[in-house]
Amino acid sequence: MQTVQTDLTILGAHTPTPAIYWKGQQVTNVSGLKVLDGKVTITVPEDPLLAEMQAAGIIVRRV
C-alpha cells in the first residue's frame, strides 16, 4: 500500500468519470480531465447564469 499526502487527489483518471478531490472536498460537474507533462487541466461547465451576467457587462470574479 502506498500513501501520499497532497491537496489534489484524482481517482480513476483513466475512466470516463474520474473522481477529483481538492483538500478532501469533491470537485463536482467535471466534464474533462487532462494530464500532460505534469500539468493537470480540469474542465468544468460554465454556469449559464454567470455567462449571462458577463454578457450583460457585469464583471464576475472567481475566488
Side-chain angles (χ1 to χ4, degrees):
M1 179 168 105
Q2 292 181 330
T3 59
V4 177
Q5 184 174 357
T6 182
D7 289 336
L8 178 64
T9 304
I10 301 171
L11 302 174
H14 63 287
T15 67
T17 56
I20 301 172
Y21 296 87
W22 178 252
K23 296 184 178 182
Q25 299 288 343
Q26 186 168 14
V27 179
T28 58
N29 298 327
V30 174
S31 62
L33 170 69
K34 182 168 54 170
V35 181
L36 184 63
D37 296 329
K39 295 181 182 176
V40 177
T41 304
I42 299 170
T43 305
V44 294
E46 182 67 36
D47 185 330
L49 184 59
L50 293 179
E52 185 177 336
M53 291 170 70
Q54 286 178 317
I58 298 170
I59 297 172
V60 177
R61 292 199 174 124
R62 291 166 178 83
V63 293

